Amino acid sequence: MYHFLQKFHSGWAYLALLLLVVAVVNAIIGLTSKKEFTAKDRKISLFALIGTHTQLLVGLILYFVSPLGKDAFGQMSNAALRLTSLEHPLVNIIAIVLITIGWSKHKKLINSQAKFKTFAIFYGLGLLLILSRIPWNLWL
């Protein structure tokens, strides 16, 4: 089960990142071009939200069945173990909380520009945080 989850988590990450990048770029384009926020824009953002939440769920399950997860938690002097056992999960949880806040805030807004701005800021910050804590040496 561990190997399947590890491969799924790594493979799904490409899709989740692609959806998140598309949502951020769409929000920036919508903000700069001053276009109306449509159902297509909402669906793009929703798919990014679902993709990142799925990645988080699989990642949390993987964390508790992985020998690199909670078992390595006490070894903070080793940079690679610290990344996989603390930094990667913690920063990505913060990123997905920001993405979720962005989704929740947009529902209360009426103005299209405010919706695009909210997605650009919150999804953009989430994307930057996620990119900052990807274990690139294990991923590529």
Side-chain angles (χ1 to χ4, degrees):
M1 183 168 113
Y2 165 70
H3 293 293
F4 171 76
L5 285 174
Q6 184 182 31
K7 297 296 181 197
F8 184 79
H9 185 65
S10 294
W12 190 264
Y14 290 104
L15 179 61
L17 280 174
L18 176 66
L19 291 169
L20 194 53
V21 167
V22 168
V24 170
V25 169
N26 183 62
I28 292 170
I29 290 171
L31 185 62
T32 57
S33 68
K34 301 196 185 309
K35 70 176 197 158
E36 282 299 310
F37 190 84
T38 63
K40 177 190 76 117
D41 300 312
R42 186 185 67 76
K43 287 177 185 173
I44 289 171
S45 300
L46 178 61
F47 289 145
L49 178 80
I50 292 169
T52 56
H53 277 82
T54 302
Q55 181 70 353
L56 174 65
L57 179 62
V58 173
L60 288 174
I61 294 168
L62 182 63
Y63 183 79
F64 290 104
V65 299
S66 169
L68 295 175
K70 64 179 175 60
D71 294 339
F73 193 73
Q75 301 177 18
M76 294 298 114
S77 61
N78 183 324
L81 289 176
R82 185 177 61 243
L83 175 65
T84 56
S85 67
L86 177 66
E87 294 171 3
H88 177 73
L90 181 63
V91 171
N92 286 326
I93 288 170
I94 293 168
I96 294 174
V97 165
L98 286 171
I99 292 166
T100 306
I101 290 170
W103 175 260
S104 296
K105 287 180 74 70
H106 108 276
K107 293 190 283 185
K108 298 173 186 155
L109 300 171
I110 298 170
N111 183 340
S112 291
Q113 294 306 299
K115 289 183 181 218
F116 283 125
K117 184 177 180 182
T118 299
F119 282 127
I121 291 170
F122 285 95
Y123 279 44
L125 287 173
L127 176 62
L128 289 175
L129 286 175
I130 289 169
L131 289 174
S132 75
R133 293 294 107 201
I134 289 176
W136 294 105
N137 61 335
L138 297 175
W139 206 38
L140 297 175

